[in-house]
């Protein structure tokens, strides 16, 4: 055992670093998805001059992507970029990203990367508006909140006017910490892979000698 440790210090160091990346450092995270239920969607008016806004409360501390659902009006609204802006509870801008309309799905959720830290339980807003469009701006799809709302939903607005009883069609993908079972599984896999690689290297080295 002592001889094995002496000749495998580098492998052991790599093993410890990889395991530490999983726990306690937490470099690798799992995904958790929360979304509105599948149902018939309604359209806002175009989101060119007026933004659609969702007031929400995140369930976890890191939003990886936010899925939104636009309608391209039979191809007439397929130009420009969607600007997705996240605000805090005081309507102070926290993050703003753009995504080309031509790359978005028509009538389906498109996940837009955010990778932003949030505080679970606090109120936030996200606004969706199209910029630089030519013929017409797209619409945003929303649904009846009674059967379809996800836990994040508070209110849905078109411009400053709340749309009572409705929720934007949306999907939150969170990055969450691994469970103990996941940590155990990944650590076990790393240990097995490193030991197997070490054994193969030793056998190859012995044959070369």
């Amino acid at each position: 055992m002592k001889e094995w440790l002496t000749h495998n210090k580098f492998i052991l160091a790599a093993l410890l670093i990889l395991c530490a990346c999983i726990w306690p450092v937490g470099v690798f995270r799992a995904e958790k998805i929360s979304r509105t239920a599948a149902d018939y969607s309604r359209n806002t008016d175009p989101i060119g001059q007026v933004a659609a806004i969702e007031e929400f409360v995140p369930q976890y501390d890191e939003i990886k992507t936010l899925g939104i659902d636009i309608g391209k009006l039979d191809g007439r609204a397929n130009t420009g970029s969607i600007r997705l802006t996240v605000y805090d509870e005081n309507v102070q801008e926290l993050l703003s990203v753009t995504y080309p309309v031509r790359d978005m799905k028509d009538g389906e959720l498109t996940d837009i990367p955010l990778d932003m830290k949030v505080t679970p339980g606090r109120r936030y807003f996200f606004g969706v508006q199209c910029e630089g469009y030519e013929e017409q701006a797209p619409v945003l799809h929303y649904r009846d909140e009674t059967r379809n709302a996800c836990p994040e939903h508070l209110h849905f607005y078109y411009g400053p006017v709340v749309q009572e009883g409705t929720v934007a069609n949306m999907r939150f993908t969170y990055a969450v910490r691994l469970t103990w079972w996941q940590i155990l599984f990944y650590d076990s896999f790393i240990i097995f892979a490193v030991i197997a690689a070490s054994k193969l290297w030793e056998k190859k080295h012995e044959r070369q000698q």
Side-chain angles (χ1 to χ4, degrees):
M1 180 68 176
K2 186 176 180 181
E3 183 180 354
W4 189 91
L5 290 172
T6 302
H7 289 85
N8 291 275
K9 289 180 179 178
F10 176 78
I11 293 173
L12 286 172
L15 181 62
L16 289 172
I17 291 170
L18 287 171
C19 289
C21 285
I22 293 175
W23 186 87
V25 177
V27 171
F28 303 105
R29 309 194 87 185
E31 286 187 355
K32 192 84 171 179
I33 295 174
S34 178
R35 60 157 297 170
T36 46
D39 198 1
Y40 174 76
S41 294
R42 288 181 275 172
N43 301 340
T44 64
D45 288 335
I47 51 172
Q49 300 299 318
V50 178
I53 301 167
E54 173 71 29
E55 182 181 358
F56 70 97
V57 176
Q59 304 297 297
Y60 301 93
D61 65 359
E62 183 176 348
I63 301 175
K64 187 175 180 181
T65 65
L66 177 57
I68 59 173
D69 177 5
I70 64 169
K72 298 187 180 183
L73 305 176
D74 298 322
R76 300 192 308 277
N78 197 34
T79 58
S81 296
I82 290 294
R83 180 168 293 278
L84 175 60
T85 307
V86 182
Y87 305 90
D88 67 12
E89 59 188 347
N90 298 313
V91 200
Q92 297 297 309
E93 183 179 313
L94 300 175
L95 179 71
S96 186
V97 298
T98 58
Y99 203 93
V101 172
R102 67 176 180 275
D103 295 338
M104 298 184 70
K105 299 173 183 176
D106 185 4
E108 298 180 42
L109 289 163
T110 298
D111 293 313
I112 298 177
L114 294 183
D115 294 315
M116 72 175 297
K117 295 288 187 179
V118 290
T119 302
R122 293 188 64 177
R123 288 190 308 128
Y124 294 84
F125 300 85
F126 71 79
V128 183
Q129 193 165 9
C130 188
E131 301 175 339
Y133 57 92
E134 294 175 2
E135 181 181 352
Q136 196 164 355
V139 298
L140 191 77
H141 290 152
Y142 65 96
R143 294 174 174 172
D144 177 72
E145 71 176 3
T146 303
R147 300 182 304 274
N148 304 299
C150 53
E152 289 80 2
H153 168 68
L154 289 178
H155 299 98
F156 177 59
Y157 303 80
Y158 180 70
V161 182
V162 65
Q163 307 297 300
E164 296 290 351
T166 65
V167 54
N169 188 24
M170 56 190 177
R171 174 169 57 211
F172 293 88
T173 302
Y174 298 98
V176 298
R177 290 190 175 275
L178 299 175
T179 65
W180 284 109
W181 284 111
Q182 289 172 317
I183 291 170
L184 181 62
F185 172 80
Y186 289 122
D187 279 350
S188 300
F189 177 80
I190 288 171
I191 292 169
F192 174 80
V194 169
I195 291 175
S198 173
K199 293 295 184 183
L200 288 173
W201 183 87
E202 287 175 359
K203 288 181 179 179
K204 183 179 179 181
H205 185 67
E206 289 172 0
R207 285 198 300 268
Q208 289 175 345
Q209 289 180 336

